[in-house]
Amino acid sequence: MESTGSIIEKVFRTSLVSMTAAVVVTMLGIVIDGIVIGRFLGPECMAAYSLSAPITSLVTALSGLLTEGTQVICAMNLGKGDVNRARNVFSVSMVVTVFVSAVLVFVVLVFTQDISSLLGARGASSDLQPLVGDYLRGLALSFPATILLFEFNSLMRLDGDSMRVIVAVLTMTVLDIAGDLLNALVLGGGMFGMGLATTISYLVALVIMLLHFRKRDIIFKFSLKGLNLDDLKHILVSGCPSAVGNVSTMARSFTLNQVMLASAASTMAVGALGVLNVVQGFVSCVLIGVGMTTGMIAGMVLGEQDRASAEKLVRVAMRTAFALGVALAVVVFAFAGVIAPLFGSSSGEEMVRLATRGLHFYAFSVILFGVNNAFVNYTQGMRRTGLSACYCFLQNFVFVAIPALALHGILDSDAVWVAYPVGETLTTIAIFALAAAMKHGLPTRAKDFVFLKEPFGAPDDEVLDIAISDMDHVVPACERAGSFCRAWGADEKTRYRVVLFIEELGSNVAEYSFAEGKGGLLEIRIVHLSEEWVLRLRDNGRAFDPVKWIELNASEDPSVNMGIKLVCGMAKDVAYVSTLDLNIITLRI
């Protein structure tokens, strides 16, 4: 038998591929924006693009607040088997998203000039104000689509339609690149055209994603019935760490822009920071994919109250993040001299030189960024909201902005570059320090970093985990289950039901659900509670809802589907959820 927790690793890796692919392709369009602006519109436009970064960070902050909060609460309820509650949370999120994004569009379009000045396009840099304003006006109508696309990216993964997300973002990227080049080389629409090209591509991608909701057999269906303000409160609380992180990033961008404007190179230094921001966004999106996947699965684990899966998730997330971080760091450092010139024209040689130097420093921060980001997302998924928000603020602002400000008088523009690796190093030290304090010793295992809010689930000795991968494992699983129930004093009727349920459902999964050669696995968890027994079966085979199966295959012949009828009739409650390409059946006995 395979060890328990193997499904978590399988789901993590498959979810990571689709989640990261969507984020990477999305960020590719942003990279192309930066390259086209830098090469064809000049360093002044690149500086304007950099100055507008806090506004895009604000949109990302609002998106993170709603997206991560909705994802965590929905995943937690799906882990509990409560599909209706997950749908209500989704509906509340959609209403709030439409309202918030409409307000944001209105504010940016009406107060464009004031916002441009606030961002730094004033005084000696006042010539950048029209460029910043034009870009924001062209970009403003993309804000609703931006927020919705981030929300749908994770929710559609939970809803089993990750391929649609990839198709949508691929289409968006192609349209954005084509629009950028058409604007720069043919239409001459300047910064307004660059923003408008992004807007059009995002709106098309949104239409493609919205087609998902025409399907009948989906989890997330919008309805105004059952809306509850308490759900909004839970969304905002759970999404708070992402909002704090993104607002901190916005504050960091503003602070670092001011440091660069005060440096000897001024406009060229701001442009170089814009180059680094674009490259950082693209490189880190792979690691952000690790974090988003970690947070999503953590929400499900929280709903299931599964301590063993929590430890497995921490282990696989941290190992994956570190390995990817090292690989990306090597690539950025080795190819910095090739990457930076992509963003510069003949008039921007100084900007390219500064950007190349900045990328060399930034590469060292990539090694630890993935681990830190995965930790923050994990704690957020586990609803350790205060802890996650604190580390977001430290990682994204305090540990970067403060060193940059402190070192500026000594290192000039290099103070910004040095601040990136310093910030990630301090964040990692802070995580280990907390783990050491909670353990009262040196943290050396994944168990030391799970940071669960106790009480969490049943005590370890009152839980039995069994993993089976074929029919030969069903009978031994039944024997182990019977012995476990007997050891905890279960009466004969309860033992009979537990063994029967495992035999019937386990055999059904092993025989019919596992596709040939696909590495099928069924994890069985038996939990002894004070007043009842809970049996959870989780497999990565073909979807099968036993309750719906009985309804759709009703027969007057009592021998037809007798095993499934017995299970559903004898259990106090049967809940089924299909999410993350998993079948989860929870029975209360």
Side-chain angles (χ1 to χ4, degrees):
M1 296 187 188
E2 296 189 43
S3 61
T4 184
S6 296
I7 278 185
I8 288 295
E9 186 169 351
K10 291 175 185 290
V11 170
F12 183 89
R13 299 197 187 286
T14 55
S15 298
L16 177 62
V17 172
S18 59
M19 188 78 75
T20 303
V23 179
V24 167
V25 175
T26 301
M27 291 304 302
L28 182 61
I30 297 174
V31 172
I32 298 300
D33 283 353
I35 291 175
V36 173
I37 290 172
R39 291 196 68 84
F40 298 107
L41 302 185
E44 291 78 14
C45 288
M46 192 66 200
Y49 180 66
S50 179
L51 288 179
S52 67
I55 296 300
T56 55
S57 294
L58 175 61
V59 177
T60 305
L62 293 172
S63 176
L65 175 64
L66 296 171
T67 298
E68 299 293 338
T70 302
Q71 172 184 285
V72 168
I73 301 301
C74 286
M76 182 180 70
N77 281 293
L78 292 178
K80 293 178 179 178
D82 194 343
V83 175
N84 288 331
R85 180 70 186 281
R87 286 174 176 168
N88 290 340
V89 172
F90 164 74
S91 298
V92 168
S93 178
M94 292 299 100
V95 171
V96 174
T97 296
V98 171
F99 175 76
V100 169
S101 58
V103 171
L104 186 61
V105 170
F106 174 81
V107 170
V108 171
L109 290 178
V110 172
F111 300 101
T112 306
Q113 185 172 347
D114 295 328
I115 293 172
S116 300
S117 297
L118 181 63
L119 293 173
R122 62 184 183 275
S125 301
S126 59
D127 57 325
L128 298 178
Q129 186 178 98
L131 299 174
V132 176
D134 285 347
Y135 184 67
L136 292 178
R137 276 188 287 269
L139 192 66
L141 292 178
S142 73
F143 296 159
T146 300
I147 298 175
L148 287 170
L149 287 175
F150 272 99
E151 289 181 313
F152 292 161
N153 184 17
S154 57
L155 293 178
M156 286 186 184
R157 177 60 193 163
L158 288 170
D159 219 349
D161 198 5
S162 56
M163 185 54 64
R164 185 182 300 273
V165 176
I166 295 176
V167 171
V169 296
L170 277 172
T171 303
M172 177 185 70
T173 302
V174 171
L175 289 177
D176 191 25
I177 293 172
D180 287 347
L181 294 174
L182 183 64
N183 173 69
L185 302 178
V186 180
L187 300 179
M191 291 297 286
F192 176 79
M194 297 300 298
L196 187 61
T198 299
T199 294
I200 293 172
S201 65
Y202 271 60
L203 291 175
V204 171
L206 178 61
V207 171
I208 294 174
M209 287 196 177
L210 287 174
L211 293 176
H212 166 81
F213 298 99
R214 298 178 61 187
K215 299 168 64 176
R216 292 184 179 181
D217 192 20
I218 57 175
I219 295 175
F220 299 110
K221 299 177 180 179
F222 178 80
S223 174
L224 293 176
K225 296 180 180 180
L227 296 185
N228 192 326
L229 286 179
D230 283 341
D231 288 332
L232 176 58
K233 180 184 70 175
H234 292 311
I235 289 172
L236 296 179
V237 170
S238 296
C240 179
S242 292
V244 169
N246 287 309
V247 170
S248 299
T249 300
M250 179 179 67
R252 182 187 70 196
S253 297
F254 177 82
T255 302
L256 297 185
N257 278 330
Q258 306 312 306
V259 172
M260 286 304 199
L261 285 171
S263 69
S266 190
T267 299
M268 292 296 175
V270 175
L273 181 58
V275 172
L276 187 142
N277 287 335
V278 173
V279 175
Q280 178 190 30
F282 183 73
V283 170
S284 63
C285 66
V286 177
L287 302 171
I288 289 173
V290 176
M292 292 175 65
T293 302
T294 304
M296 178 173 61
I297 297 177
M300 185 184 73
V301 171
L302 175 64
E304 294 178 337
Q305 293 286 288
D306 189 340
R307 187 181 299 268
S309 291
E311 293 178 19
K312 186 70 175 181
L313 176 60
V314 169
R315 185 179 301 110
V316 68
M318 298 308 166
R319 286 178 178 175
T320 303
F322 183 74
L324 288 174
V326 171
L328 289 169
V330 171
V331 171
V332 172
F333 189 88
F335 292 96
V338 176
I339 297 171
L342 295 175
F343 296 83
S345 61
S346 58
S347 59
E349 292 181 359
E350 178 64 10
M351 181 187 77
V352 170
R353 185 189 68 80
L354 290 171
T356 302
R357 184 170 177 79
L359 289 174
H360 281 138
F361 279 99
Y362 164 70
F364 291 97
S365 70
V366 178
I367 297 174
L368 296 177
F369 171 79
V371 173
N372 296 335
N373 185 66
F375 171 81
V376 167
N377 278 267
Y378 166 78
T379 52
Q380 182 178 5
M382 284 295 181
R383 299 201 74 185
R384 299 301 305 269
T385 308
L387 180 64
S388 183
C390 177
Y391 276 98
C392 276
F393 180 61
L394 293 174
Q395 179 187 17
N396 292 294
F397 180 71
V398 174
F399 287 159
V400 178
I402 300 303
L405 290 170
L407 296 172
H408 175 250
I410 303 172
L411 301 177
D412 197 43
S413 61
D414 279 352
V416 171
W417 311 141
V418 170
Y420 280 98
V422 168
E424 295 301 335
T425 301
L426 291 175
T427 303
T428 301
I429 292 173
I431 292 172
F432 270 85
L434 177 61
M438 295 181 69
K439 183 184 178 182
H440 303 292
L442 183 66
T444 57
R445 300 173 298 172
K447 184 178 181 179
D448 301 328
F449 295 91
V450 294
F451 294 148
L452 302 175
K453 184 181 290 186
E454 302 294 351
F456 185 89
D460 290 344
D461 60 347
E462 296 187 43
V463 176
L464 175 64
D465 289 309
I466 310 171
I468 67 177
S469 56
D470 56 47
M471 285 291 291
D472 293 339
H473 292 153
V474 175
V475 172
C478 292
E479 294 173 350
R480 289 185 62 191
S483 299
F484 176 76
C485 292
R486 187 178 298 106
W488 279 102
D491 57 46
E492 185 176 347
K493 183 173 68 173
T494 299
R495 293 200 305 271
Y496 169 75
R497 290 182 176 181
V498 170
V499 172
L500 174 67
F501 293 173
I502 292 175
E503 181 180 2
E504 291 294 336
L505 294 176
S507 297
N508 185 75
V509 170
E511 185 174 358
Y512 299 111
S513 293
F514 290 162
E516 191 70 26
K518 295 294 184 180
L521 184 65
L522 167 64
E523 290 183 344
I524 301 169
R525 163 165 281 223
I526 306 169
V527 182
H528 171 235
L529 301 177
S530 57
E531 298 180 356
E532 65 180 356
W533 290 75
V534 177
L535 176 64
R536 184 204 70 196
L537 295 92
R538 182 171 65 187
D539 72 86
N540 59 349
R542 298 186 183 93
F544 177 74
D545 183 344
V547 178
K548 183 175 290 187
W549 176 263
I550 293 175
E551 295 175 355
L552 296 177
N553 296 272
S555 173
E556 295 181 1
D557 185 350
S559 64
V560 176
N561 303 317
M562 183 173 63
I564 297 176
K565 287 179 180 177
L566 278 173
V567 170
C568 293
M570 296 171 67
K572 291 181 182 178
D573 178 66
V574 180
Y576 172 82
V577 174
S578 176
T579 184
L580 294 175
D581 295 327
L582 295 178
N583 302 298
I584 304 173
I585 302 175
T586 304
L587 304 101
R588 299 188 180 277
I589 304 168

